[in-house]
């Protein structure tokens, strides 16, 4: 079987082009109205700095305004909450993104809860999670939204398909399962206590791997022709070259002969997460103006 490699970079580029056109139109129709994203980074985690930089570049590419708020690692929870309150009240800010993880002295959930749900472009606020799970208008979490778009690139009708989500985090696994259910899949969720993961994989038409374990899902577990979406981003050292590289949660080379379609790492889900963040920021702007 020749597997289709789903090119997340190309799909994300197409989405950003479409968003840029919509932003242009919004500016023309509404007196220069420009969506604005505020990105908050606390501390100096190098990976977070890269993510924040990429989000800023993506904002520029679609014509958004973006502001960065870089705070020292010693920032207190009250100081961060004060900044969130200020951004909530700022009409020039349509989306607020607080880069996670936060330093351990800060309660992440309290910070997420403090963001105005209408500006919660990460889709992590309990109001958005609740609305999304019962099918009301909401800002949905970016990574699972991106995965849905990639699945629909290769399969439009998901009705009745058996989907397996490996991982049950609040930001990926749980909302992913809820989106697949909404698309009429029969959904199974696996986690670290799942008894026989290979057996679960063997039954799935669609597998979403989001467990954060390098190359954990083996090729031989996968049903012939399955669609495999690899969310994992794991930095490992290549044994042959000694160089550091990114790998997913699926043993890609092993999986290739079995799958119908698969996302690579890097270049699969990662670019889609940022494209969906841009999409959410535009949607948030429309919602705040009563247009969505
Ligand atoms: P979490 O660590 O929050 O959750 C991991 C989940 O995997 C948990 O539910 C855990 O189960 C489950 N798990 C761990 N080990 C196993 C196992 N052996 N078998 C079955 N399930 C297992 O991770 P996230 O959801 O935040 O992220 C998952 C991966 O996705 C990471 O590699 C992360 O870097 C990546 N990621 C990528 C993004 C992108 O844009 N591409 C965005 C977000 C994340 P339990 O609940 O029982 O502990």
């Amino acid at each position: 079987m020749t597997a289709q490699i789903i090119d997340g970079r190309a799909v994300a580029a197409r989405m950003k082009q479409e968003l840029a056109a919509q932003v242009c139109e919004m500016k023309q129709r509404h007196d220069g109205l420009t969506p604005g994203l505020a990105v908050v980074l606390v501390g100096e985690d190098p990976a977070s700095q890269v993510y924040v930089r990429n989000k800023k570049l993506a904002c520029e590419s679609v014509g958004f305004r973006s502001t960065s708020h870089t705070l020292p690692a010693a920032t207190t929870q009250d100081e961060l909450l004060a900044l969130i309150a200020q951004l909530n009240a700022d009409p020039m800010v349509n989306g607020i993104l607080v880069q996670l993880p936060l330093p351990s002295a800060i309660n992440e959930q309290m910070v997420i809860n403090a963001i105005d749900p209408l500006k919660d472009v990460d889709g992590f606020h309990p109001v958005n999670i609740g609305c999304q799970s019962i099918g009301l208008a909401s800002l949905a979490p970016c990574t699972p939204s991106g995965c849905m778009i990639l699945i629909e690139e290769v399969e439009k009708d998901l009705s009745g398909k058996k989907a397996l989500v490996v991982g049950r985090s609040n930001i990926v696994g749980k909302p992913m399962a809820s989106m697949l259910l909404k698309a009429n899949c029969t959904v199974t969720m696996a986690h670290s206590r799942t008894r026989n993961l290979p057996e679960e994989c063997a039954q799935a038409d669609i597998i979403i791997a989001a467990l954060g374990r390098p190359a954990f899902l083996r090729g031989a577990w996968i049903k012939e022709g399955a669609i495999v979406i690899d969310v994992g981003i794991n930095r490992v050292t290549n044994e042959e070259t000694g160089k550091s590289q990114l790998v997913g949660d699926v043993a890609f080379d092993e999986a290739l002969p079995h799958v119908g379609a698969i996302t690579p790492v890097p270049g699969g889900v990662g670019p889609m997460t940022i494209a969906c963040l841009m999409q959410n920021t535009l949607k948030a702007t429309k919602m705040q103006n009563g247009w969505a």
Side-chain angles (χ1 to χ4, degrees), residues 2 23 63 65-66 88 116 125 149 151 159 181-182 213 281:
T2 312
V23 172
R65 246 179 310 101
S66 78
N88 280 343
D116 178 345
H125 193 286
I149 295 169
I151 295 169
S159 187
L181 190 61
K182 192 173 173 210
R213 302 261 182 279
T281 305

Side-chain angles (χ1 to χ4, degrees), residues 133-146:
S133 74
I134 60 169
L136 297 178
S138 62
L139 294 167
C142 301
T143 300
S145 297

